[in-house]
Amino acid sequence: MSSTMTDELKATLDSARKSWIGSANDAQCDFPIQNLPFGVFSSDRAGDPGSANARVGVAIGDLVADLAVLHEAGLLRLPVNARQDVFARPALNDFIALGRDAWRSVRVQLSSLFARETATLRDDTALRERAFVKLADARLHLPVQIPGYTDFYSSKEHATNVGSMFRDPKNALLPNWSEMPIGYNGRASSVVVSGTPVRRPNGQLKLPDQERPVFGACRKLDIELETGFVVGRGNALGEPIACEDAEDHIFGMVLLNDWSARDIQQWEYVPLGPFNAKTFATTISPWVVTLDALEPFRVAQPAQEPQPLEYLRHEGHHAFDVALEVRLRPEGAQEATTIARTNFRHMYWSMAQQLAHHTVAGCNTRVGDLMGSGTISGPTPDSFGSLLELTWNAKHPLELKSGGTRGFIEDGDELALAGWCQGDGYRVGFGTCVGKILPALK
Ligand code: MN
């Protein structure tokens, strides 16, 4: 447990704490009172002008709590000298910018307000009517306005698998890989929220039997099972973030699908890395789970050999035990097939090391910046985080429960990532991160 946590904050993590919102106490619910993830929502109930009224909410059980309403009603206080309109905004950035003391204070207040024994909101039917929307009726928006998006490549198993397939099985890991968290600057503009359809990209494809590329629809469309973290406190240009301090700069985590066009990627990636193969879309889950909520699920990261250079060292536990799944459902099928199961704890480089490395040359980061973990592959063939690895470049297609097989993604397929931390009688979940594939433009 982090030493900077107050007793009040520790109490929000107590597995015995229950809510008067019954659905939050279900052992399978992603959003128990111990979670309290932040997002942005709108709803179409009477008098509510839809997305024009997008505002900050917290998921609890099968409901979304409207923080703008709770604040207006005087049940949720912000620091007196802080701007007071941060919950009535269509992105979390202004709230995040208030700083960690404010996030923690809001977390403590909400946990108390939703606790079974607290009557304030529980017994105020009229206010409850205004302050909650059913999750099923809410429209969920991109939770943060994202100034920049960076994607890492920090799973040793994934890097080894891809290196074996694309280059040389004998030298699958390049010598730099075990010395630093390898990454590239992605496109923030094409990050979309879960549920947004994704169009199959067109691009240059280099077929093995032809000298020049052809232009056409991607034939090897893939997912990358990742998590992402949202920067909660930026750093000034020229002022690196120390590895030991890096977690103080992280607001929380989301699930992230880094859609990838493998055929476009293989032709374009030398010498500067991914470009159009990755920039057409990245999907994230709508709820940002705070690092505070993840505190009980800290674990040791895999042993690092060789020992990282000084600037990449930190004491203590900096990995998190997050169970992850990928499900594929073809168009019209009743049943989805779980095609991969793995865990975020396998990641070789921690989020703290990623952020320290990202800024060590002086790069500034900003509130809302999104950092992808890199594809999370585990050690076994059913724990790989991409179809490229699961089918070994379509050599071993996957059998689907609804019939048929898959080498790569077909039009109409819906891919869903899910993730949760298993607690004692409850789970801190991330919800799902879903995208359905539309046919390429002609
Ligand atoms: Mn990726």
Side-chain angles (χ1 to χ4, degrees):
M1 189 82 52
S2 162
S3 59
T4 61
M5 282 203 137
T6 61
D7 289 346
E8 270 183 319
L9 204 54
K10 284 178 189 160
T12 68
L13 301 170
D14 183 354
S15 60
R17 186 168 279 199
K18 302 284 180 203
S19 176
W20 48 264
I21 299 159
S23 55
N25 303 324
D26 179 342
Q28 300 297 311
C29 177
D30 274 341
F31 309 122
I33 194 165
Q34 290 83 4
N35 190 348
L36 306 175
F38 291 89
V40 169
F41 78 104
S42 59
S43 63
D44 296 322
R45 65 185 173 185
D48 192 344
S51 61
N53 202 18
R55 56 210 185 267
V56 172
V58 153
I60 172 93
D62 59 1
L63 302 175
V64 182
D66 187 327
L67 300 199
V69 168
L70 293 177
H71 179 256
E72 212 177 80
L75 294 190
L76 193 56
R77 275 182 294 277
L78 288 165
V80 279
N81 49 2
R83 56 182 287 191
Q84 300 292 308
D85 65 344
V86 294
F87 298 131
R89 305 280 301 149
L92 292 172
N93 300 58
D94 293 333
F95 167 61
I96 297 174
L98 296 184
R100 192 167 66 168
D101 288 349
W103 323 330
R104 288 183 156 181
S105 160
V106 167
R107 175 178 173 81
V108 166
Q109 293 176 68
L110 289 174
S111 179
S112 164
L113 206 50
F114 300 150
R116 186 174 270 168
E117 59 278 11
T118 311
T120 328
L121 186 55
R122 185 190 69 195
D123 297 348
D124 188 337
T125 319
L127 181 56
R128 244 176 34 217
E129 280 290 306
R130 289 197 296 123
F132 290 100
V133 173
K134 281 209 170 83
L135 200 43
D137 297 337
R139 185 165 156 215
L140 303 176
H141 301 264
L142 204 58
V144 274
Q145 193 274 320
I146 303 169
Y149 162 50
T150 301
D151 194 33
F152 286 93
Y153 189 58
S154 289
S155 156
K156 192 172 194 171
E157 291 82 358
H158 173 69
T160 304
N161 289 337
V162 173
S164 301
M165 263 181 278
F166 279 18
R167 287 191 317 275
D168 174 10
K170 285 193 210 79
N171 298 294
L173 269 200
L174 291 171
N176 60 4
W177 193 90
S178 48
E179 296 288 358
M180 65 174 113
I182 300 288
Y184 68 95
N185 286 297
R187 281 298 296 180
S189 61
S190 54
V191 178
V192 296
V193 73
S194 177
T196 308
V198 172
R199 190 169 291 285
R200 179 181 298 274
N202 287 313
Q204 287 200 18
L205 316 173
K206 175 72 170 61
L207 306 175
D209 53 343
Q210 289 179 31
E211 199 177 323
R212 293 195 58 208
V214 296
F215 181 82
C218 165
R219 301 170 190 190
K220 291 188 173 181
L221 186 57
D222 200 356
I223 55 147
E224 289 194 341
L225 166 60
E226 303 193 18
T227 60
F229 70 82
V230 174
V231 171
R233 175 153 66 98
N235 62 304
L237 187 67
E239 294 177 15
I241 297 172
C243 200
E244 286 289 356
D245 301 335
E247 283 176 4
D248 295 346
H249 290 256
I250 298 175
F251 175 67
M253 289 177 64
V254 291
L255 300 175
L256 185 153
N257 184 349
D258 178 26
W259 302 96
S260 298
R262 299 300 178 195
D263 39 8
I264 296 172
Q265 183 180 358
Q266 192 161 13
W267 170 233
E268 77 176 3
Y269 89 109
V270 181
L272 279 186
F275 194 49
N276 284 338
K278 304 276 191 175
T279 54
F280 58 96
T282 304
T283 305
I284 63 170
S285 53
W287 297 106
V288 187
V289 178
T290 60
L291 271 204
D292 286 332
L294 295 172
E295 193 61 39
F297 307 100
R298 276 183 189 279
V299 287
Q301 71 199 97
Q304 294 188 310
E305 178 58 44
Q307 184 185 35
L309 298 182
E310 182 78 30
Y311 80 96
L312 290 170
R313 289 181 206 162
H314 46 20
E315 299 288 322
H317 289 177
H318 299 279
F320 293 86
D321 183 353
V322 185
L324 297 163
E325 282 188 7
V326 183
R327 300 164 193 152
L328 188 158
R329 190 169 65 87
E331 179 124 64
Q334 294 295 316
E335 198 177 9
T337 304
T338 299
I339 59 172
R341 287 185 177 86
T342 186
N343 197 297
F344 182 54
R345 68 187 298 163
H346 298 306
M347 292 306 273
Y348 187 87
W349 295 105
S350 69
M351 295 184 285
Q353 289 174 319
Q354 290 174 337
L355 193 52
H357 183 66
H358 199 317
T359 58
V360 75
C363 177
N364 52 329
T365 62
R366 288 174 282 189
V367 165
D369 277 347
L370 178 68
M371 310 279 168
S373 60
T375 309
I376 303 164
S377 291
T380 56
D382 59 350
S383 67
F384 295 161
S386 66
L387 283 160
L388 175 71
E389 295 161 88
L390 288 164
T391 68
W392 214 257
N393 204 5
K395 278 199 190 76
H396 312 293
L398 294 170
E399 304 270 343
L400 302 181
K401 281 184 179 174
S402 50
T405 61
R406 285 293 180 280
F408 287 97
I409 301 170
E410 295 187 3
D411 289 347
D413 284 354
E414 185 186 81
L415 275 297
L417 314 183
W420 65 92
C421 302
Q422 189 60 56
D424 179 13
Y426 71 101
R427 58 162 58 164
V428 168
F430 286 77
T432 52
C433 177
V434 184
K436 181 174 172 172
I437 299 301
L438 303 178
L441 294 175
K442 295 279 185 237

